């Protein structure tokens, strides 16, 4: 199972046992992947089959959960808010959404509201949603799914109240670049494994920084290439796999650091040293980097 599939399976499990967060951010991936993940999770929440079978795909709830325009069927406890102006999801639209969200479910055990372009929330719209999240729902669970290319596009106050489900990099990777990075990274690691000198780790970090494209602080392609190279090396070096997989995961989230004007070189050095030195010292898998 890929890491994305594992995350989605964990979210489904929370939904089956009624423990899914009121607010869930679905970010990364393509728009179609975010929609598909949101629909599957909504069906898991609303489905009437036995918990282990949710989503069954065939019940009156599962069948009526669909994307607007693509399905003629309607579920009264499921709604999608798409951007109403060309560039924004306005406060007015969010408030009308909110009126539906403050009544009890009509048919299902719960309600699901999807914000299709949460990155376009106007500040007032985000505030309206935050207010809703602070009010307890009317007797039944109520979930908001916020879809966005990157959770970095959402207000920190929304992010801190939400479960984040990252659907992976939408970047198309260049296999030749990944191979080149993996070979050079693996060579530098070899030096470190032999002598233990941190200078080899700095060289390994330097290799990853040659992925390039870091002039634009919003670009994530360089980190996606570096993460793919590190995963490739992890497959070849089982003794380091836990640390390397944790490093790859951190690299995919490293764009947040870049946005705070930390140079790509410093980010690679910090993450490589942190995951490999600490991972080796403790003999344990490093937890994924927590960004603050
Ligand atoms: Zn069902």
């Amino acid at each position: 199972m890929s890491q994305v599939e594992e995350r989605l399976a964990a979210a489904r499990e929370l939904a089956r046992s009624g423990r899914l967060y009121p607010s869930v951010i679905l970010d990364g991936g393509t728009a179609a992947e975010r929609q598909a993940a949101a629909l599957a999770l909504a069906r898991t929440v609303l489905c009437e089959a036995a918990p282990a079978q949710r989503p069954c795909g065939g019940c009156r709830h599962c069948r009526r959960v669909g994307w607007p325009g693509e399905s003629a069927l309607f579920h009264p406890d499921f709604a999608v808010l798409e951007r109403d102006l060309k560039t924004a999801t306005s406060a007015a639209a969010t408030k009308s959404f909110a009126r539906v969200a403050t009544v009890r479910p009509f048919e299902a055990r719960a309600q699901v509201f999807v914000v299709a372009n949460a990155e376009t929330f106007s500040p007032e719209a985000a505030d309206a949603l935050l207010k809703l999240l602070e009010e307890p729902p009317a007797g039944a669970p109520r979930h908001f799914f916020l879809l966005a290319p990157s959770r970095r596009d959402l207000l920190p106050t929304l992010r801190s109240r939400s479960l984040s489900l990252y659907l992976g990099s939408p970047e198309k990777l260049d296999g030749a670049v990944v191979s080149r990075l993996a070979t050079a990274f693996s060579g530098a690691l070899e030096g470190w494994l032999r002598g233990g000198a941190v200078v080899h780790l700095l060289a390994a970090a330097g290799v990853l920084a040659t992925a390039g494209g870091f002039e634009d602080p919003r670009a994530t392609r360089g980190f996606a290439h570096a993460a793919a190279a590190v995963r490739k090396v992890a497959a070849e070096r089982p003794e380091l796999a836990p640390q390397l997989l944790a490093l790859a995961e951190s690299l995919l989230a490293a764009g947040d650091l870049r946005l705070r004007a930390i140079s790509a070189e410093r980010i690679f050095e910090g993450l490589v040293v942190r995951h490999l030195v600490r991972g080796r010292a403790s003999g344990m898998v490093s937890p994924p980097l927590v960004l603050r």
Side-chain angles (χ1 to χ4, degrees):
M1 220 193 269
S2 76
Q3 285 173 331
V4 170
E5 285 161 355
E6 277 172 21
R7 274 184 220 118
L8 290 173
R12 262 198 313 276
E13 221 26 70
L14 288 175
R16 284 178 185 138
S17 56
R19 289 178 296 137
L20 190 64
Y21 285 40
S23 172
V24 179
I25 296 171
L26 291 152
D27 78 325
T30 61
E33 284 166 345
R34 294 192 289 275
Q35 286 184 13
L39 291 177
L41 201 53
R43 289 188 187 108
T44 311
V45 169
L46 300 173
C47 177
E48 64 185 4
Q53 266 89 58
R54 294 175 196 162
C56 71
C59 73
R60 66 199 173 109
H61 299 295
C62 285
R63 278 185 288 109
R64 287 184 296 158
V65 168
W67 207 256
E70 286 173 12
S71 165
L73 300 170
F74 166 80
H75 194 298
D77 300 314
F78 172 82
V80 176
L81 175 63
E82 295 187 280
R83 68 178 97 183
D84 52 337
L85 308 171
K86 221 180 189 136
T87 52
T89 300
S90 72
T94 307
K95 282 178 183 150
S96 70
F97 203 52
R99 276 193 288 279
V100 185
T102 47
V103 299
R104 287 169 171 281
F106 292 97
E107 293 182 21
R109 287 180 313 277
Q111 296 173 301
V112 176
F113 300 94
V114 179
V115 181
N117 306 96
E119 78 280 12
T120 68
F121 260 145
S122 67
E124 297 77 22
D127 275 350
L129 180 67
L130 274 168
K131 281 214 185 69
L132 272 178
L133 288 175
E134 279 155 16
E135 287 166 18
R142 182 178 66 190
H143 304 280
F144 294 91
F145 297 169
L146 311 178
L147 279 49
S150 166
R151 63 194 181 84
R152 283 180 272 148
D153 297 327
L154 305 181
L155 288 179
T157 40
L158 268 179
R159 283 170 9 198
S160 67
R161 282 171 174 75
S162 305
L163 171 72
S164 273
L165 279 176
Y166 178 61
L167 301 180
S169 168
E171 308 278 1
K172 281 260 175 286
L173 299 184
D174 180 335
V177 172
V178 173
S179 291
R180 172 180 69 76
L181 293 175
T183 305
F185 181 74
S186 186
L189 278 189
E190 192 63 52
W192 175 65
L193 287 171
R194 267 202 313 272
V198 172
V199 66
H200 294 293
L201 286 186
L202 298 182
V207 166
L208 297 181
T210 67
F214 299 109
E215 300 77 16
D216 173 4
R218 292 197 58 87
T220 53
R221 189 173 162 81
F223 290 114
H225 273 132
V230 169
R231 272 200 302 272
K232 189 164 153 59
V233 175
E236 296 156 3
R237 293 184 176 274
E239 76 280 17
L240 285 176
Q243 290 98 312
L244 290 175
L245 290 174
L247 169 61
E249 189 85 351
S250 291
L251 288 172
L252 288 175
D256 276 6
L257 300 169
R258 186 76 190 88
L259 279 185
R260 278 186 265 147
I262 303 174
S263 77
E265 289 75 14
R266 287 248 347 261
I267 293 169
F268 283 118
E269 284 176 7
L271 292 178
V272 167
V273 169
R274 175 175 183 168
H275 282 285
L276 289 169
V277 173
R278 194 181 60 188
R280 184 187 232 190
S282 63
M284 287 168 59
V285 182
S286 311
L289 174 70
V290 177
L291 299 163
R292 300 168 230 285

